[in-house]
Amino acid sequence: RAATVSGEEATFIFPSGDQPLDVRGDAALVVRYPEPVKIEKSTFYFFVLYADKAHLEDIARSVKFL
């Protein structure tokens, strides 16, 4: 589901009913960084957060890019 998190484009990825049991309920949030983040020789364009479905939206509300 498309969203905005900390003023940036974001997408929530929620679990489907056919997820394997060992990851049942796992969800993700993908947010475009305001500016690319360089760590050593790698450049990252997206922040990815994995959490359980029950808490993902609450956690997303606390995401801030400084």
Side-chain angles (χ1 to χ4, degrees):
R1 168 183 95 194
T4 301
V5 171
S6 191
E8 305 299 326
E9 292 178 59
T11 300
F12 286 97
I13 303 170
F14 292 107
S16 63
D18 62 349
Q19 273 187 301
L21 288 176
D22 61 333
V23 294
R24 180 105 351 129
D26 288 357
L29 170 67
V30 182
V31 185
R32 180 181 296 278
Y33 282 123
E35 296 179 20
V37 173
K38 292 186 180 191
I39 300 173
E40 295 185 9
K41 295 181 181 182
S42 298
T43 302
F44 300 91
Y45 298 90
F46 298 93
F47 169 77
V48 181
L49 171 70
Y50 297 97
D52 64 284
K53 177 183 175 182
H55 297 98
L56 186 63
E57 291 182 272
D58 289 336
I59 295 168
R61 283 190 278 281
S62 71
V63 172
K64 303 282 185 261
F65 294 112
L66 305 175

